[in-house]
Amino acid sequence: MNQWLQDMSWEEAEKSIQKAGGVAILPVGSVEQHGYHMPLGTDSYVAITLAEDASKKTDTLLVPPLWFGWSPHHMVRPGTITIRPETLSEITYDIAASLNHHGIRKLIMINGHRIVNVVWMQLAAEKIQRELDMEVCIFDPAYMSKEIIKELEFGPVGHAEEIETSHMMYRYPELVNLKLAKDNPVQSSHLYSVDPSYEKDTLCYVPSSYAHAEKNAAIAGGTSGEPTKSDPQKGKIYHEHLVKRLVEVIEILREK
Amino acid sequence: MNQWLQDMSWEEAEKSIQKAGGVAILPVGSVEQHGYHMPLGTDSYVAITLAEDASKKTDTLLVPPLWFGWSPHHMVRPGTITIRPETLSEITYDIAASLNHHGIRKLIMINGHRIVNVVWMQLAAEKIQRELDMEVCIFDPAYMSKEIIKELEFGPVGHAEEIETSHMMYRYPELVNLKLAKDNPVQSSHLYSVDPSYEKDTLCYVPSSYAHAEKNAAIAGGTSGEPTKSDPQKGKIYHEHLVKRLVEVIEILREK
Amino acid sequence: MNQWLQDMSWEEAEKSIQKAGGVAILPVGSVEQHGYHMPLGTDSYVAITLAEDASKKTDTLLVPPLWFGWSPHHMVRPGTITIRPETLSEITYDIAASLNHHGIRKLIMINGHRIVNVVWMQLAAEKIQRELDMEVCIFDPAYMSKEIIKELEFGPVGHAEEIETSHMMYRYPELVNLKLAKDNPVQSSHLYSVDPSYEKDTLCYVPSSYAHAEKNAAIAGGTSGEPTKSDPQKGKIYHEHLVKRLVEVIEILREK
Amino acid sequence: MNQWLQDMSWEEAEKSIQKAGGVAILPVGSVEQHGYHMPLGTDSYVAITLAEDASKKTDTLLVPPLWFGWSPHHMVRPGTITIRPETLSEITYDIAASLNHHGIRKLIMINGHRIVNVVWMQLAAEKIQRELDMEVCIFDPAYMSKEIIKELEFGPVGHAEEIETSHMMYRYPELVNLKLAKDNPVQSSHLYSVDPSYEKDTLCYVPSSYAHAEKNAAIAGGTSGEPTKSDPQKGKIYHEHLVKRLVEVIEILREK
Amino acid sequence: MNQWLQDMSWEEAEKSIQKAGGVAILPVGSVEQHGYHMPLGTDSYVAITLAEDASKKTDTLLVPPLWFGWSPHHMVRPGTITIRPETLSEITYDIAASLNHHGIRKLIMINGHRIVNVVWMQLAAEKIQRELDMEVCIFDPAYMSKEIIKELEFGPVGHAEEIETSHMMYRYPELVNLKLAKDNPVQSSHLYSVDPSYEKDTLCYVPSSYAHAEKNAAIAGGTSGEPTKSDPQKGKIYHEHLVKRLVEVIEILREK
Amino acid sequence: MNQWLQDMSWEEAEKSIQKAGGVAILPVGSVEQHGYHMPLGTDSYVAITLAEDASKKTDTLLVPPLWFGWSPHHMVRPGTITIRPETLSEITYDIAASLNHHGIRKLIMINGHRIVNVVWMQLAAEKIQRELDMEVCIFDPAYMSKEIIKELEFGPVGHAEEIETSHMMYRYPELVNLKLAKDNPVQSSHLYSVDPSYEKDTLCYVPSSYAHAEKNAAIAGGTSGEPTKSDPQKGKIYHEHLVKRLVEVIEILREK
């Protein structure tokens, strides 16, 4: 039996919360353009698959996904949905408060949407921690894969680039159409980068303005990076690295 | 190809919005106790299956589901998640605003959670209508099945009763465990009923207090009604009636 | 002596709260167009007169009326005042919190404005119930008169129709000018009705858009229904039915 | 015919708005303890009677009263209702926005509740002025009677003192029970006074804490001042002075 | 050593809070036009210098200044910054809550910005008092100098007039350029005045509309009053009067 | 003449805005414990001195500092003040909106408080960018000194460590008391670090819980790192690097 809360009766949920050692995972992503070759739901699928695979190894409770994220800069292409960060923070708080009521004391938010969602998640996490006295971790693939990205010789973190694409090709091949992928190599920029492993001086991230995002989307359909270099085998290694790390985080939380 | 937004690239979304005639469906449910025999996600699954089946016949765009609803009174049993109605209204507004930006002018919210979600949906719908100048319909199975419920000789609308259970048995048999169902017949009440087809004088609905919900949950695990009388064949007729009505609503909206 | 709080000294209020068994009534209505023949304050007057007459028989405490309601769709005609539902909910919450502080444990909101105010009243009532641990009932004439409306052979609930007009003619004849009344018979609609006793499948209520309300107001000055068929004798029976029901609700609350 | 909006049909309202030269009055008061001898609704009645009498001479439109004010410090005695100032500001804004939609361009708020309501009224007035481009005046008896109070040899402004009591005895004798009045002379205080005509250095007003209000209420039932010195003849002169001033303000606004 | 919190280590702060007897001062001003001859920060500098000089005599804790105030009407001239009053109220509340956590039980807000900031300060002060059970005083030069202003034969309180200018010339001569000062004598107005010692009937203050402020700024660069009559010697007497009063307030608070 | 807005008349501000090429700097810090040896205002002083020195070279407009930041985790030691992030975001938005009204089109927020303030600054910046169409940069010393920190052989970024201390010793020697400094070496942690140049996999930052912060403060008075290794000469090089970078950012913004 899977550990998705929505599939359990309340009696099963009661048992699962105990078996999970009071740890739950909330997968959060986004519905936003991912170039010509990947689906709008990419970030959510990434969060979901990591959650599922780590849960299989640990019996951690899975909360139904929050499909929507904060994506103001991707509204330049059809299908993108953006929610105000304060609203996302409030809904996450309520989910945590409900879980807390039923005995979940430790929450992992998996963020498939990288740096943008991290902002409001930090606000939500601090409030959940302070007001509900829960332990909260934000697990984000881009931050949890600095080592493996170097090992795999991927280029820098961009958007819909070879890292994300390889991951999706491994887990959701039917949702990727690599033939449509178009490259837009990330320029080595002075003073600024969205890549969390960027080693030089850097201004802090602010989501691009509509005008700037429009300009970027015109180059390669919204892609930043080189998806044509994607490889499902690398995606597998990347995925397994992340699942391993996630399992590790779950174990640390359980022992606390 | 299905019409779920999360599975499309933005180019596919662009085409689908056109093909859909500018109509989209947002399925909303809840994660809340549904007795001993049904999953916490019942209301969301109901909304999802109706949306999917009507979309197949009409190419209407499907927005990823909002799994969570307003369920303060069901917090008496493990696994229930309740979101404040104002937060649900805000997130729905942002979803609508994003869709509107991409050319969706007509939105159907399917509410699998019955009378409770309807409240905040009305607030959201009015605001979306007024500020975004979109057309919004709230499609709720309990209100859209008054006729068929009588024909099928179901008892009154309660919670996790024979209507919902029959529907779930038809569409998601693997998630129902009828052997565990326990009956708690709805008492014919003077002055008050949650059943929208109740024909006598009635006080307006207010979600039960925690104390009152606790008392009710103690009787039959949260069930109100007689799920042991459920029948997947009736569930099929009920489902088809609702899909037909939903298709009808979509067609009316398209022609406007 | 009457039971209006505003007319008592605090010493009298102290005694009245005791005598009332901790039950208070808050009359809420609206200031909105009611056709050519009825005053803007109709809904508030309806709530006030029911509150007063039930209080006479039960010594229930009367809170000064909230004259204003949520009426976005009636802004198409001069004099209508609309308050955002969240603001109405907040002010009602504060009134309840103050009453609670002084020993009122049970609150009846009488809504003279029918389906529209019910929405925010449900939100307010749930919050009052949960946070203040008070008992709250929403008493709405349109829902509490399904039986008598049939008996009196009134047409369906609309707006400023024969039901409301007969009631006002009985209680406030000086405010009604029946000669100006213009009929606009309610069409038997497929899938949708504002009448709470409508027996067929129905979409859930959303207040009309400005454009749609404008179109309707152009037909008969904002009336939906047949006010020319009004009759103060029927209004008397209708009123007495409602007062009787209200007294019944008060008694149930007192005994709890 | 009176000029109360609630008593008009929308056609009458349309004419009245024109006749009123686009000026409306919103009477606001409070429901709060007024000693042993005066009703909880005193402040609202004061605002209502001034509004009515000035309207009779000028045909100014009267908006239904907002009975409730900000009275946190008077919660120490039964029957007092206090609304958060931000809520009062929001409801007033919505009333103004609705009136503005129908052609009212100038709004007078009469505040019967003195210094406490003035605070939130200033916030509301500024926002109405800036966002709706309306002209707003706050007319408060305590500020508009500095001259006549000296002439009539009243003591300082306190609470339920001889000024307010004389006014109520003249206009609402049936609601005052002077035999119950108890004096609590206002001490000439160094550095602080609630009297707007206090001529010395003064700290700015902050509503008393609950503890401090409790101490004061214990002395004379909530009275500050000497109500036993009240005189309806002085009340008449006081009332007429205020009505005259209000008419003057209305005329200034009309000519703008 | 000075008493500014920002300059202390936490160990020093701990001792200072004790030595201060639990009393702290928060200086608040504004950044707004002050005519041709005075700096935008005038109101903040006024609050800061009073706080500093009173702290020297009493060891009262000084909280870093809030430079910004509510100045919607001064936006007509460059450099003015206006913050919404509700935001100012919230930030002040949080400052108070933090201080309270560390043992500060009594807070004096010095308002260098006169009548406009007083409004939101009253809201903040009441909330701090009620929710945090702290004692709060609002100390405003314009209200605390009624006596000395008469003695010094200054004209009425206006804006950037001889009172403020004399004060700044005494304390911050390098920031005043008296040669640029332009007079705009305050007209003795019927029914309305911004001067808190105005002795006649008065409408309550509402910040001027943009249009009205623009008109006034065109006369003398934003000045209301006669700054050319300024005199640093009078400024000295005025300053010392205010410091003396402030010390007195601190002592009263300490003894409570 | 300096470029601080608070010291200018509005005529001077008008000229300075032009001279600044429409670029302004808002220094933001915090009032929070900085170990035994540094003042509570450290972060604000850091932001102020960088702003001042870069302004001297570029004539950029300086907005008065916002002394307060988000510091929930430092409340464990006296003197710390924490403001809710949403309030900080709102006040910053209003400052930006006011500046925008006067012709400032580009805003640099200098954050002396490192990773914690960055969160709400990102929210504010995105909103300012989107709603006011301004260009916004967040300049944070910890992110803008990755290179120089390595060159200077400083240890990792912690709190009140040798980096911050060296900087303060160079710019504000009178506020640092190095004799009191106590070391608390940053442990090389697996999976998590507050240092933005940490090269391994990392969980995203969430401010520590009160309990955890208390435990850490007990070790070395709130310090994380080795302040005893501080050196004002290194502080000078560090400072000059940051000023140079800031000047560079100003120039890039001007040219846009």
Side-chain angles (χ1 to χ4, degrees), chain A residues 67-121:
Chain A
W67 282 94
F68 312 101
W70 186 35
S71 309
H73 48 321
H74 289 304
M75 288 294 287
V76 295
R77 284 298 171 271
T80 301
I81 288 176
T82 185
I83 310 294
R84 278 162 296 165
E86 51 269 34
T87 303
L88 289 161
S89 181
E90 292 301 311
I91 198 170
T92 303
Y93 181 85
D94 284 4
I95 291 168
S98 297
L99 293 170
N100 187 46
H101 181 79
H102 303 306
I104 291 293
R105 309 292 307 145
K106 290 143 185 181
L107 180 65
I108 298 165
M109 301 177 188
I110 303 191
N111 173 32
H113 176 30
R114 293 161 167 190
I115 201 165
V116 202
N117 271 356
V118 169
V119 180
W120 64 261
M121 282 187 162

Side-chain angles (χ1 to χ4, degrees), chain A residues 128-142:
Chain A
I128 292 166
Q129 219 170 242
R130 180 167 32 85
E131 296 191 0
L132 302 172
D133 198 23
M134 293 172 76
E135 188 97 18
V136 189
C137 281
I138 304 170
F139 186 98
D140 184 297

Side-chain angles (χ1 to χ4, degrees), chain E residues 6 43 54 78 84 95 112 122 141 144 155 184-185:
Chain E
Q6 64 270 40
D43 295 346
R84 278 161 296 164
I95 293 169
Q122 291 173 308
M144 289 307 285
N184 175 21

